[in-house]
């Protein structure tokens, strides 16, 4: 019997798992996909929001600001890519100027530091490619960009290092409330636990509704994105937002933590919780509206487009806490933007709640430091040669676009919760994420995966399940 | 009988018509040059193709070796020749020109290697 | 870090790099190093197992591996040095190459001249903005070719191909021969970019339909491709509503263009052309950085390897000449002050390679390669020396898929000492 079962290995579930591993606890994360970070957490803007958007007094505002403050230190503890690049909310219309000031005031009330309203010249000085239509902007120096895979995987690995179990390809089908505790029925068998944490993203309504009469409804809100070649690095330095409207923060243009430029998202409410397909309308909308805030956007340098689903609930507020009519069932639902930013605070909040409920003791062996996959590019030539002398695989470049070596791929496969698929390798190492989109490296990466996992190449998948890549030649 | 052909001699891609009566070509129309006519006669009377593929190699520095029919074979024998290659594997070393299958699918044409594969000690 | 010194470093051991090395050696430069990132020389030819190579160079029809073998043998016989499994990481403007492999780690090579011969990559789905899911089963045609021919696997059994470039056509036949069903080839343009011979022998022979002015508008399948929808496009390339057709398939192959791979060239500071995506070069195939030469698909995408070899030989020869000049410590300033003539492509001609000519440095005859922007019938290829027409050559048909050329004679150009530009265009009469 587990003390805690966390449903969902997205950024919230993994953050909770990591914070919970500070305690002596028997806990397990159930994930229906083959890896962590497979749905909402993998397809978003990767922005660490400053915290001026969410309504003052809301949980969203509180956790956003705390999460933002924790992110930089956390990026060092857990070794993931984070850059504090600042953000600009640009105002294009004199009539909307009061809204910009309202945002500023909301930010001050939320406790966001170093907020400033900039005039046109000041904005242009920061961002030479800003649109001529921009009349003013809200500048937040505390905003940043993070690698969303890096963050989620770091949380998960650190949790696993500290004793939290992870079960993949495990889909929750039913939850039965016992006198004390729960039986969770999955496609892989039953799991018994005292506490359940519902961190199931766009499915958090279905999981919640299995145990509670107070039904909630999550709307998958699709966001399409375009990712531009690293050759565009420096096109914008800050994250550029348009003034928010009723569908959220609008289309942004931002550098990513790895030097690409990202454009997106759209905001289209849909019914299908797996409907992460881009549409022509969505992509065309992006290309049209992104040009509102910047000029000469190098949109022809797009290397890929993708879509993610936000778990939107009509009150636009996080639902975090014990469910009233289901003692022992903790919701962590409706985590939409700024969920990624808030994740460190969400993890802490839920873990503390569980620790109090279960009267958990501190885990004396907890190690909160995790080393990410060694990036040889950060080494001096001497250090790099010493590394290659010891591990020759670091001298064998597999992904030429991102310059990723076999050594890094081997590390990704053999570390805790290691990669099992091409996408797993891609999210951990960036092999296949460059301009050729895995055209050159996928045959080699598949060979390495097959060799290391002792599988036939025919069994290697793109992302688990039925996503097999090759067939036999008769 | 009437055959419609696109000439492959040049990018012009002339649309040609070839009339055949009792096994004899009577007229060829649509071609711009002599090469088109020669091509049309060949395509209508005895079309041939070179077939290329790869086969497995055991004990080599590469796992597959590329092969071809040594000369053209009748077009209608392509799939028979492919079938003769099914399940075939060869032992390294392999040299260019090595016969992989002799008289493939009774065409009288051998299938030969088009690449060198060295043997490696496993 | 280990430091090596060579006269000429050639980046890439494919057909371009091999031919350049052989010719540079013939010209009398001995310290030559070819750097190849793959496990064998020959580049992409190793996976091009089909025939059709070498008709110009060897007057016989070879397969890709056989064509490559002839150059590889010559390189080996002549003891030209090469390093396999070695990646060039960086090249500085003063020609220090940083490379890496598992045996030597990172090391530096000082070169007097560099020949860029890195080839090209395929345009990916991402660059096309095709909407839909991102399941397994979408491959660029070249990647599929590698899986079938080198690795011995099939990418799928029911195939739709987008793009009628030669690799796509070749793969349509290859997959069919291996038992797959190729349902359709969709081409967004009104014409195919592939060779006529390939359309007939790879599609028509097997009854595979080619739909011109069609593109993929949706990809179905969340984990593995389940089908694609194609639709007709209007003259601007926009899909026409109501023309959608759905094809069930497990594989979508893309053959939608090749892009010269010039990331290393950018590090050197070599100027690139917007049209070819390759370096701009003079008559010696020398880039904007003196002593850095380019040839093959990194310079501009070719359709026949024979022309790659021919071009690369020219680059190798000129790189060797450059090295000999530097060795004699000749002042290169004279060269910089040399009279330079611009080549201007216009009226249907998209680009020329080279882009400039210095008459003093020309060979007796200089080939100018170019491509046209559309299919044109019954046109004249005309060359103007400033405003005077000097060449007027009738062509029954010219198409974007087939590289064209004209030859200029040094003696003709020297007759015009004031010549500032040479224009190449298509004319109706």
């Amino acid at each position: 019997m587990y003390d805690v079962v966390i449903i969902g290995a997205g950024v919230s579930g993994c953050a909770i798992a990591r914070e919970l591993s500070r305690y002596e606890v028997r806990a397990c994360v159930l994930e229906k996909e083959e890896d962590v970070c497979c749905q909402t957490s993998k397809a978003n803007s990767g922005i660490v929001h400053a915290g001026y958007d969410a309504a003052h007094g809301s949980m969203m505002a509180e956790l956003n600001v705390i999460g933002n403050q924790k992110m930089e230190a956390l990026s060092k503890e857990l070794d993931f890519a984070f850059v504090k690049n600042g953000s600009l909310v640009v105002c294009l219309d004199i009539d909307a100027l009061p809204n910009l000031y309202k945002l500023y005031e909301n930010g001050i009330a939320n406790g966001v530091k170093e907020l400033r309203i900039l005039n046109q010249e000041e904005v242009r000085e920061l961002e030479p490619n800003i649109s001529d239509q921009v009349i003013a902007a809200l500048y937040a120096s505390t905003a940043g960009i993070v690698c969303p895979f890096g963050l989620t995987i770091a949380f998960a690995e650190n949790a696993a290092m500290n004793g939290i179990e992870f079960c993949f390809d495990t889909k929750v089908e039913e939850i039965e409330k016992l006198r004390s505790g729960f039986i969770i029925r999955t496609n892989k068998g039953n799991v018994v636990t005292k506490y359940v944490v519902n961190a199931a993203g766009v499915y958090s309504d279905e999981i919640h509704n299995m145990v509670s009469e107070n039904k909630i409804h999550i709307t998958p809100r699709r966001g399409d994105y375009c990712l531009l070649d690293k050759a565009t690095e420096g096109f914008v330095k800050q994250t550029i937002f348009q003034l928010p409207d009723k569908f959220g923060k609008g289309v942004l243009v931002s550098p990513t933590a790895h030097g690409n430029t990202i454009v997106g998202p759209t905001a289209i409410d849909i019914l299908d919780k797996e409907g992460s397909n881009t549409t022509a309308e969505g992509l065309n909308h992006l290309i049209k509206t992104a040009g509102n805030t910047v000029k000469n956007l190098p949109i022809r340098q797009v290397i890929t487009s993708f879509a993610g689903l936000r778990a939107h609930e009509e009150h636009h507020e996080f639902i975090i806490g014990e469910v009233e009519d289901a003692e022992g069932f903790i919701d962590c639902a409706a985590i939409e933007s700024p969920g990624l930013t808030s994740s460190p605070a969400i993890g802490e909040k839920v873990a503390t709640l569980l620790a109090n409920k279960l009267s958990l003791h501190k885990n004396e062996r907890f190690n909160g430091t995790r080393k990410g996959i060694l990036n040889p590019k950060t080494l001096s030539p001497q250090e790099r040669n010493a590394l290659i002398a010891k591990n020759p695989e670091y001298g064998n470049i597999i992904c030429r676009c991102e310059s990723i070596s076999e050594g890094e791929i081997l590390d990704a496969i053999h570390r805790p919760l290691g990669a099992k698929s091409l996408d797993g390798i891609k999210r951990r190492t960036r092999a296949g994420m460059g301009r050729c989109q895995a055209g050159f490296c996928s045959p080699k990466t598949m060979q390495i995966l097959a060799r290391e996992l002792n599988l036939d190449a025919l069994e290697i998948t793109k992302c688990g399940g039925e996503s097999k890549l090759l067939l036999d030649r008769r | 009988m009437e055959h419609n052909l696109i000439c492959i001699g040049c990018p012009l891609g002339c649309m040609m018509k070839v009339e055949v009566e009792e096994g004899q070509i009577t007229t060829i129309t649509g071609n711009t040059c002599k090469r088109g006519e020669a091509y049309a006669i060949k395509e209508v009377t005895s079309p041939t193709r070179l077939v290329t593929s790869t086969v497995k190699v055991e004990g080599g520095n590469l796992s597959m070796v590329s092969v071809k029919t040594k000369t053209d074979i009748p077009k209608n024998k392509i799939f028979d020749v492919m079938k003769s290659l099914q399940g075939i594997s060869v032992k390294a070393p392999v040299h260019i020109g090595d016969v992989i299958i002799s008289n493939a699918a009774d065409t009288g044409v051998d299938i030969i290697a088009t690449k060198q594969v060295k043997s490696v000690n496993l | 870090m280990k430091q090596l010194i060579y006269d000429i470093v050639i980046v890439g051991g494919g057909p371009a790099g091999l031919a350049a090395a052989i010719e540079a050696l013939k010209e009398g430069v001995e310290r030559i190093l070819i750097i190849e990132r793959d496990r064998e020389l020959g580049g992409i030819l190793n996976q091009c197992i089909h025939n059709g190579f070498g008709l110009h160079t060897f007057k016989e029809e070879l397969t890709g591996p056989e064509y490559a073998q002839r150059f590889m043998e010559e390189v080996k016989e002549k003891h030209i040095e090469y390093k396999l499994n070695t990646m060039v990481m960086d090249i500085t403007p003063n020609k220090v190459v940083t490379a890496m492999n598992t045996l030597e780690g990172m090391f530096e090579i000082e070169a007097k001249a560099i020949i860029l011969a890195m080839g090209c990559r395929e345009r990916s789905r991402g660059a096309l903005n095709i909407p839909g899911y991102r399941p397994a089963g979408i491959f660029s045609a070249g990647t599929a070719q590698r899986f079938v021919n080198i690795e011995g696997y099939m990418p799928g059994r029911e195939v739709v191909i987008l793009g009628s470039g030669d690799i796509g056509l070749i793969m349509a036949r290859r997959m069919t021969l291996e038992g797959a069903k190729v349902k359709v080839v969709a081409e967004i343009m009104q014409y195919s970019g592939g060779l006529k011979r390939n359309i007939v022998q790879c599609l028509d022979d097997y009854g595979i339909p080619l739909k011109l002015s069609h593109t993929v508008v949706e990809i179905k399948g969340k984990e593995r491709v389940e089908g694609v929808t194609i639709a007709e496009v209007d003259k601007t390339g926009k899909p026409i509503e109501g023309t959608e057709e759905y094809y069930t398939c497990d594989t979508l192959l893309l053959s939608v263009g090749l892009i010269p791979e010039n990331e290393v060239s950018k590090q050197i500071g070599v100027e690139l052309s917007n049209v070819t995506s390759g370096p701009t070069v003079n008559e010696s195939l020398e880039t904007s950085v003196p002593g850095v030469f380019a040839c093959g698909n990194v310079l501009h995408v070719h359709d026949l390897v024979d022309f790659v070899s021919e071009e690369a030989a020219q680059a190798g020869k000129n790189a060797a000449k450059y090295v000999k000049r530097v060795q004699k410590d000749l002042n290169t300033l004279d060269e910089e002050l040399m009279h330079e003539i611009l080549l201007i492509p216009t009226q249907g001609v998209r680009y020329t390679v080279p882009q400039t000519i210095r008459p003093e440095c020309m060979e007796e005859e200089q080939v100018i390669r170019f491509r046209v922007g559309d299919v044109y019938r019954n046109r004249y290829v005309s060359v103007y020396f400033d405003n005077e027409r000097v060449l007027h050559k009738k062509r029954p048909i010219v198409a974007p898929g087939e590289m064209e050329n004209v030859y200029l004679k040094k003696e003709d150009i020297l007759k015009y000492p004031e010549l500032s530009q040479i224009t190449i265009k298509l004319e109706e009469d």
Side-chain angles (χ1 to χ4, degrees):
Chain A
M1 172 133 147
Y2 287 105
D3 297 320
V4 181
V5 165
I6 299 166
I7 302 170
V11 72
S12 301
C14 293
I16 294 165
R18 191 259 180 170
E19 290 306 312
L20 195 58
S21 71
R22 292 176 187 275
Y23 302 95
E24 294 283 356
V25 66
R26 220 185 139 214
C28 176
V29 181
L30 305 182
E31 169 56 51
K32 72 177 170 65
E33 302 295 327
E34 54 114 31
D35 196 358
V36 302
C37 200
C38 278
Q39 209 167 31
T40 301
S41 304
K42 80 165 180 190
N44 56 72
S45 320
I47 306 299
V48 177
H49 295 280
Y52 45 73
D53 297 281
H56 179 55
S58 65
M59 191 195 301
M60 223 179 224
E62 183 197 340
L63 298 183
N64 180 344
V65 173
I66 300 171
N68 174 293
Q69 288 164 354
K70 283 176 176 284
M71 201 59 84
E72 191 159 13
L74 196 66
S75 73
K76 297 197 170 87
E77 266 171 64
L78 294 180
D79 197 12
F80 58 83
F82 166 74
V83 184
K84 201 170 126 183
N85 69 322
S87 70
L88 288 165
V89 182
V90 298
C91 180
L92 300 160
D93 174 7
I94 195 94
D95 294 336
L97 206 53
N99 294 341
L100 193 72
Y101 277 90
K102 267 187 214 153
L103 207 56
Y104 169 82
E105 278 149 25
N106 191 57
I108 298 292
N110 286 350
V112 180
K113 304 237 162 50
E114 296 169 47
L115 277 180
R116 276 169 61 205
I117 300 273
L118 305 183
N119 66 28
Q120 195 179 35
E121 285 72 45
E122 292 170 311
V123 178
R124 182 148 306 126
E125 195 140 304
L126 280 178
E127 291 293 353
N129 289 318
I130 206 78
S131 156
D132 294 332
Q133 261 61 59
V134 169
I135 53 169
L138 173 64
Y139 175 58
S141 66
T142 58
I145 43 182
V146 65
C147 170
F149 327 122
L151 172 63
T152 309
I153 291 165
F155 275 138
E157 280 182 20
N158 192 232
M161 277 166 58
N162 287 304
I164 307 289
E165 296 169 39
F166 283 77
C167 298
F168 296 106
D169 296 311
T170 307
K171 187 170 189 251
V172 172
E173 285 163 351
E174 216 174 36
I175 303 175
E176 189 185 328
K177 177 95 184 74
L178 304 174
R179 202 145 46 86
S180 91
F182 301 84
I183 297 181
I184 302 174
R185 297 187 207 286
T186 78
N187 59 331
K188 294 260 178 98
N190 297 345
V191 184
V192 185
T193 180
K194 291 179 191 154
Y195 278 79
V196 176
V197 176
N198 169 21
V202 289
Y203 290 95
S204 55
D205 54 350
E206 289 181 12
I207 300 290
H208 169 101
N209 296 343
M210 287 178 187
V211 298
S212 173
E213 285 312 309
N214 306 322
K215 304 295 180 196
I216 62 171
H217 178 72
I218 302 289
T219 305
R221 180 169 282 180
R222 198 187 76 225
D224 304 64
Y225 290 91
C226 290
L227 191 72
L228 311 188
D229 193 296
K230 278 183 170 177
T232 63
E233 187 168 8
F235 176 72
V236 291
K237 290 171 212 70
Q238 275 78 200
T239 301
I240 316 288
F241 296 100
Q242 272 172 261
L243 256 179
D245 61 17
K246 67 180 166 126
F247 280 112
K249 297 180 191 83
V251 170
L252 62 83
V253 180
S254 177
T256 70
H258 291 289
N260 298 89
T261 302
I262 193 168
V263 179
T266 54
I268 301 158
D269 288 346
I270 59 170
L271 296 172
D272 182 0
K273 288 182 193 291
E274 298 286 330
S276 61
N277 54 317
T278 57
T279 61
E281 302 77 54
L283 295 176
N284 289 338
H285 173 78
L286 277 190
I287 291 160
K288 225 169 70 197
T289 41
N292 292 351
T293 58
V294 289
K295 50 188 178 193
N296 307 323
L297 181 73
I299 197 72
R300 282 188 56 201
Q301 300 246 38
V302 59
I303 58 170
T304 188
S305 49
F306 59 90
L309 303 177
R310 292 93 109 184
H312 176 67
E313 202 273 338
E314 59 174 338
H315 302 94
H316 187 54
E317 170 67 310
F318 296 156
I319 302 174
I320 299 176
E322 191 163 13
V323 173
E324 237 173 61
D325 60 347
E327 201 190 334
F329 188 97
I330 316 289
D331 263 338
C332 181
I335 310 297
E336 60 180 317
S337 179
L340 191 73
T341 312
S342 307
S343 60
I346 292 173
E348 189 179 69
K349 186 181 173 83
V350 176
T352 310
L353 178 75
L354 287 163
N356 289 339
K357 294 257 177 201
L358 284 154
S359 307
L360 299 176
H361 297 291
K362 277 237 155 1
N363 175 1
E364 297 301 336
R365 284 157 301 151
F366 175 75
N367 176 2
T369 310
R370 166 255 186 195
K371 269 322 280 169
I373 290 170
L374 175 68
N375 179 357
K377 292 192 256 328
T378 60
L379 303 176
S380 72
Q382 289 74 18
E383 290 169 326
R384 198 162 179 176
N385 274 342
L387 176 69
I388 296 169
K390 214 171 120 200
N391 297 302
E393 297 83 10
Y394 283 98
N396 181 18
I397 295 291
I398 300 295
C399 165
R400 58 172 89 158
C401 302
E402 295 288 318
S403 201
I404 307 298
S405 68
E406 185 179 357
E408 291 152 87
I409 292 172
L410 292 178
D411 190 352
I413 295 170
H414 294 301
R415 56 177 39 234
L417 309 180
K420 298 179 289 249
S421 63
L422 278 189
D423 281 0
I425 297 283
K426 179 166 89 172
R427 286 194 291 269
R428 282 168 180 79
T429 65
R430 297 185 59 72
M433 213 175 272
R435 51 182 68 93
C436 92
Q437 289 287 296
F440 284 118
C441 66
S442 54
K444 293 180 177 183
T445 309
M446 287 175 71
Q447 265 180 11
I448 297 171
L449 269 169
R451 184 186 74 211
E452 296 300 314
L453 299 175
N454 215 0
L455 294 170
D456 194 289
L458 298 176
E459 296 171 84
I460 303 298
T461 64
K462 179 175 182 285
C463 50
E466 297 302 311
S467 68
K468 288 203 175 103
L469 289 144
L470 296 176
L471 298 165
D472 215 341
R473 234 180 85 182
R474 291 184 299 215
Chain B
M1 205 168 81
E2 185 183 291
H3 296 264
N4 291 301
L5 297 175
I6 303 172
C7 181
I8 64 165
C10 79
L12 208 53
C14 293
M15 302 284 284
M16 298 186 288
K17 255 190 199 139
V18 183
E19 290 284 350
V20 180
E21 274 169 34
E22 291 166 14
Q24 297 291 310
I25 295 177
T26 53
T27 56
I28 300 175
T29 53
N31 58 310
T32 313
C33 68
K34 277 266 175 216
R35 280 195 297 163
E37 191 180 302
Y39 172 76
I41 294 168
K42 178 90 188 326
E43 274 298 281
V44 170
T45 54
S46 62
T48 63
R49 299 287 185 265
L50 200 85
V51 176
T52 66
S53 187
T54 57
V55 300
K56 280 206 175 84
V57 186
E58 285 167 24
N61 65 329
L62 303 172
S63 57
M64 305 293 288
V65 63
S66 51
V67 300
K68 69 174 183 187
T69 52
K70 194 170 181 183
T71 57
D72 276 16
I73 53 136
K75 190 178 155 189
N76 60 11
K77 289 276 193 180
I78 293 174
F79 281 98
D80 296 333
V81 166
M82 283 305 294
K83 208 167 173 196
S84 75
L85 281 166
Q86 261 181 48
I88 293 285
S89 69
V90 294
K91 283 204 169 63
V94 185
H95 304 95
I96 292 185
D98 282 1
V99 175
I100 304 295
I101 296 176
S102 55
N103 185 19
D106 274 335
T107 54
V109 176
D110 295 345
I111 293 177
I112 60 170
T114 57
K115 189 169 173 62
Q116 190 174 315
V117 182
K118 288 183 215 151
S119 65
V120 287
N121 298 320
L122 294 172
Chain C
M1 226 185 329
K2 193 156 95 176
Q3 308 262 345
L4 305 170
I5 297 174
Y6 281 89
D7 288 333
I8 301 179
V9 168
I10 300 172
V11 187
L18 295 173
I22 292 165
E23 201 63 26
L25 187 79
K26 278 188 195 153
E27 197 63 28
V29 170
E30 284 178 0
R31 290 185 303 172
I32 301 169
L33 176 68
I34 303 171
I35 302 181
E36 168 55 44
R37 59 191 154 203
D38 217 327
R39 61 185 170 175
E40 56 181 339
L41 295 173
I44 211 70
L45 286 175
N46 289 312
Q47 68 183 52
C48 299
I49 63 159
H50 53 280
N51 56 312
F53 300 89
L55 279 168
H56 292 257
T57 315
F58 300 112
K59 309 291 171 231
E60 62 177 305
E61 197 168 332
L62 302 173
T63 64
E66 290 170 314
Y67 186 93
Q69 184 65 24
R70 301 211 172 177
F71 286 87
M72 280 150 66
E73 263 166 25
E74 198 169 346
V75 160
K76 286 172 190 172
E77 273 165 21
K78 293 186 165 153
H79 304 290
I80 296 174
E81 288 182 61
Y82 58 91
K83 287 181 187 293
L84 301 178
N85 297 308
T86 303
M87 185 67 96
V88 168
M89 307 297 285
D90 182 52
I91 304 179
T92 67
N94 47 3
K95 306 190 203 61
V96 178
V97 180
T98 306
M100 185 170 85
N101 62 36
T102 57
L103 299 172
E104 296 161 285
M106 288 234 284
F107 56 97
E108 284 183 350
I109 310 155
E110 261 179 57
K112 293 198 178 70
I114 286 171
I115 301 177
L116 303 172
M118 294 89 78
C120 58
R121 66 168 175 270
E122 298 180 275
R123 277 180 85 194
S124 72
R125 173 198 176 180
L128 304 176
N129 266 339
I130 303 170
Y133 290 94
R134 299 190 304 148
I138 305 170
F139 300 89
S140 54
T143 306
Q145 189 178 42
R146 185 187 165 103
F147 277 125
V148 179
N149 293 344
I150 306 271
E151 320 263 339
Y153 295 108
M154 283 293 276
R157 300 264 190 249
E158 294 194 308
V159 186
V160 169
I161 300 178
L162 175 61
S164 61
D166 286 313
I167 315 172
L169 301 177
I170 293 287
M171 281 313 290
R173 174 175 65 187
R174 186 76 188 103
M175 299 280 287
T176 305
L177 290 180
E178 289 296 338
K181 171 81 189 151
V182 178
K183 297 198 161 174
V184 66
V185 176
E187 168 59 59
I188 194 164
M189 306 299 284
Q190 291 145 286
Y191 52 84
S192 165
L195 302 171
K196 266 282 172 295
R197 166 192 164 117
N198 285 337
I199 291 171
V200 171
Q201 297 197 345
C202 299
L203 301 186
D204 298 353
D205 272 5
Y206 303 96
I208 300 166
L210 169 63
K211 297 211 161 188
L212 299 174
S213 300
H214 277 71
T215 193
V216 171
V217 292
E218 192 166 11
I219 298 168
K220 199 178 159 225
K222 291 174 184 177
E223 296 187 321
R224 176 81 199 193
V225 173
E226 289 167 14
V228 301
T229 306
I230 71 170
E232 197 176 336
V233 297
D234 63 20
K235 288 215 168 84
T236 66
K238 283 221 174 70
I240 301 166
E241 235 174 280
T243 63
E244 295 86 357
E245 275 176 281
Y246 180 74
Y247 290 85
T248 56
C249 60
D250 58 15
T251 304
L252 173 63
L253 296 190
L254 304 175
S255 177
V256 288
L258 300 168
I259 306 165
E261 269 216 315
N262 276 289
E263 278 62 42
V264 169
S265 320
K266 282 185 204 162
Q267 291 171 338
I268 310 174
V270 161
E271 185 186 295
L272 299 180
S273 152
N274 282 334
V275 185
T276 60
S277 301
T280 54
V281 291
N282 61 25
E283 77 300 319
S284 303
L285 303 178
E286 187 181 23
T287 68
S288 62
V289 178
V292 177
F293 299 79
C295 54
N297 281 349
V298 80
L299 179 56
H300 58 140
V301 175
H302 295 61
D303 23 71
L304 289 179
V305 72
D306 301 74
F307 295 145
V308 168
S309 304
E310 193 182 299
E311 183 178 278
Q314 198 194 343
K317 187 175 182 180
N318 287 311
K321 282 184 178 170
Y322 176 89
V323 168
K324 287 195 278 186
R325 263 201 321 272
V326 175
Q327 275 166 343
K328 284 187 196 144
D329 208 21
L330 291 180
N331 197 341
T332 50
L333 196 65
D334 296 352
E335 213 176 296
E336 280 167 30
L337 292 172
M338 259 178 210
H339 176 45
E340 194 170 70
I341 300 165
L342 287 178
L343 286 162
I344 311 288
T346 183
Q347 288 183 30
V349 178
R350 281 182 63 232
Y351 74 81
T352 66
V353 168
Q355 285 90 350
T356 60
I357 287 180
R358 298 167 303 174
E360 288 88 338
C361 300
M362 272 176 82
E363 299 278 320
E364 289 316 309
E365 199 173 51
Q366 171 82 40
V367 60
I368 309 296
R369 301 188 198 282
F370 64 93
R371 277 189 197 273
V372 297
D374 203 345
V375 177
Y376 299 97
R377 284 166 198 279
N378 296 318
R379 296 292 161 106
Y380 289 88
V381 173
S382 299
V383 177
Y384 284 77
F385 284 3
D386 287 331
N387 293 319
E388 187 185 335
R389 190 161 78 192
V390 297
L391 194 139
H392 196 52
K393 183 171 77 166
K394 176 119 196 230
R395 302 282 283 117
I397 189 165
V398 287
E402 314 237 357
M403 195 184 280
E404 296 288 327
N405 62 52
V406 290
Y407 285 85
L408 301 180
K409 286 205 166 64
K410 184 173 183 171
E411 54 177 337
D412 292 344
I413 291 180
L414 288 177
K415 285 179 201 154
Y416 298 75
E418 301 296 312
L419 184 57
S420 71
Q421 62 183 48
I422 298 174
T423 309
I424 301 189
K425 56 177 137 184
L426 298 182
E427 291 179 318
E428 286 184 36
D429 49 40

